[in-house]
Amino acid sequence: MKTYKHINEFTALPNAVVTIGTFDGVHLGHRKILQQLESLSNSSNGETVLLTFFPHPRLVLQPDDNDLKLLSTLQERIHLLEAAGIDHLIVQPFDTTFARFSAHEFVRDVLVGKIGTKILVIGYDHHFGRNREGNFKNLEELAPIYNYNLVQIPEHDVHQMAVSSTKIRQALLCSEVHLANELLGYQFEMSGKVVKGDQIGRTIGFPTANIQIAESYKLIPASGIYAVRIRIDKAIFNGMLYIGNRPVIGGGELRIEVNIFDFNADIYGKEVSIALVDFIRPDQKIDGLEALKQRLEADKIAATKALSLR
């Protein structure tokens, strides 16, 4: 997959098969669109192009709204789209200038002028352009003018999947890991750098790696204990993850800490990825470190069992 950081880096193709969207999480619903894109590309001897945006338009147009949290960071999204087999990925910086493009200007100058769109694949409810004024009807009216074919993913097909990024976000915020993973088609991941903590865990036999996630827009699932798999470089380890404000020692800022089973290497400063496999229990106030140790021993048994089943 070739990745472009701006539409101006892209040279229009003779036979571009294109789709547009934020594709947060690249879930099963998105993949239905991508499969259609690939099928049309193969039958027309074309090349697939996905135009996406960063930052997310809502983060630019509603800067004071801190409620939107995304399933994937930009790098995670790029990785998922590459795995889906896209030929060309354009990551267009989204700003207030780009947001002022009218629907007609967007089709004429971007989709046709910059990309060379010959086939456009779009969801039934897609909106685009200034104030989201553009819709499928506009694209249909402009198709004969700008010589592209329009393919709609029907409402029935999308609803049949019963998948949306919103539904997945809600599942993760309600500790419904199995549902979220089922709708994603893979295990939800968080990636971050290992930083030094206060090392309380190692005093009770459960040393943890403290994970710092740089992207403030990344969704953090509900507080609690999770069975997880951890990727460090190219190696995969089992473990259990804690998300919470550590009420056992008086609370504080939200922490993300992972106990990696049968592991004692120094990984400070390393980037790691954590895949959620199962939810073990919610965060809770536990009286004292000895009681916490006993609780964590039970959690490890439960996490080990969950990991063996999945």
Side-chain angles (χ1 to χ4, degrees), residues 135-145 148 150:
N135 55 30
F136 186 83
K137 184 179 179 181
N138 298 128
L139 291 170
E140 201 170 33
E141 292 170 348
L142 293 171
I145 299 173
Y148 61 83
L150 185 60

Side-chain angles (χ1 to χ4, degrees), residues 22-25 53-59 66-74 76-77 165 168-169 172 188-190 213 215-221:
T22 54
F23 284 80
D24 183 32
F53 309 99
F54 186 81
H56 190 288
R58 186 170 145 189
L59 297 176
N66 297 315
D67 292 338
L68 179 65
K69 298 297 180 182
L70 302 180
L71 297 170
S72 51
T73 66
L74 177 58
E76 289 167 348
R77 191 171 10 144
S165 298
I168 298 167
R169 293 183 196 118
L172 290 166
F188 177 78
E189 287 197 3
M190 298 185 294
I213 296 177
E215 297 84 0
S216 60
Y217 60 83
K218 173 72 174 183
L219 183 141
I220 306 301

Side-chain angles (χ1 to χ4, degrees), residues 91-104:
V91 183
Q92 172 62 28
F94 191 89
D95 54 24
T96 52
T97 299
F98 193 83
R100 285 195 290 269
F101 271 72
S102 69
H104 194 152

Side-chain angles (χ1 to χ4, degrees), residues 2-13 49 51 78 88-93 110 113-115:
K2 296 181 180 178
T3 303
Y4 310 82
K5 296 180 180 178
H6 196 286
I7 190 72
N8 291 336
E9 295 180 1
F10 190 81
T11 301
L13 297 171
V49 181
L51 173 62
I78 290 172
H88 303 273
L89 174 64
I90 304 169
V91 183
Q92 172 62 28
V110 177
K114 291 289 189 180
I115 299 177

Side-chain angles (χ1 to χ4, degrees), residues 140-302:
E140 201 170 33
E141 292 170 348
L142 293 171
I145 299 173
Y146 293 107
N147 193 31
Y148 61 83
N149 292 317
L150 185 60
V151 177
Q152 184 188 48
I153 303 296
E155 180 177 3
H156 171 74
D157 285 354
V158 175
H159 281 183
Q160 191 175 44
M161 295 295 296
V163 178
S164 72
S165 298
T166 299
K167 181 179 286 189
I168 298 167
R169 293 183 196 118
Q170 189 60 38
L172 290 166
L173 293 173
C174 293
S175 311
E176 296 175 345
V177 174
H178 292 174
L179 175 60
N181 290 345
E182 179 183 346
L183 298 178
L184 285 167
Y186 60 88
Q187 291 169 344
F188 177 78
E189 287 197 3
M190 298 185 294
S191 301
K193 181 181 290 187
V194 179
V195 298
K196 279 191 177 291
D198 45 29
Q199 302 182 337
I200 290 176
R202 68 178 52 194
T203 67
I204 56 174
F206 287 92
T208 59
N210 288 263
I211 310 301
Q212 183 180 73
I213 296 177
E215 297 84 0
S216 60
Y217 60 83
K218 173 72 174 183
L219 183 141
I220 306 301
S223 294
I225 302 287
Y226 295 82
V228 296
R229 290 194 173 92
I230 306 98
R231 185 171 70 250
I232 304 172
D233 297 326
K234 294 183 179 181
I236 305 292
F237 302 90
N238 290 335
M240 57 183 181
L241 175 72
Y242 170 75
I243 299 175
N245 62 2
R246 304 192 299 175
V248 72
I249 59 171
E253 65 182 15
L254 186 74
R255 294 293 190 98
I256 302 170
E257 304 177 354
V258 62
N259 172 243
I260 308 171
F261 300 159
D262 306 314
F263 184 84
N264 59 7
D266 183 353
I267 54 173
Y268 286 124
K270 277 190 173 290
E271 290 284 334
V272 303
S273 292
I274 302 169
L276 272 60
V277 176
D278 205 349
F279 180 73
I280 302 303
R281 65 168 174 87
D283 196 11
Q284 61 189 117
K285 181 75 168 77
I286 298 174
D287 295 327
L289 292 180
E290 183 57 35
L292 175 61
K293 179 180 179 180
Q294 294 176 13
R295 179 69 264 191
L296 291 176
E297 288 171 347
D299 292 338
K300 182 175 181 179
I301 292 170

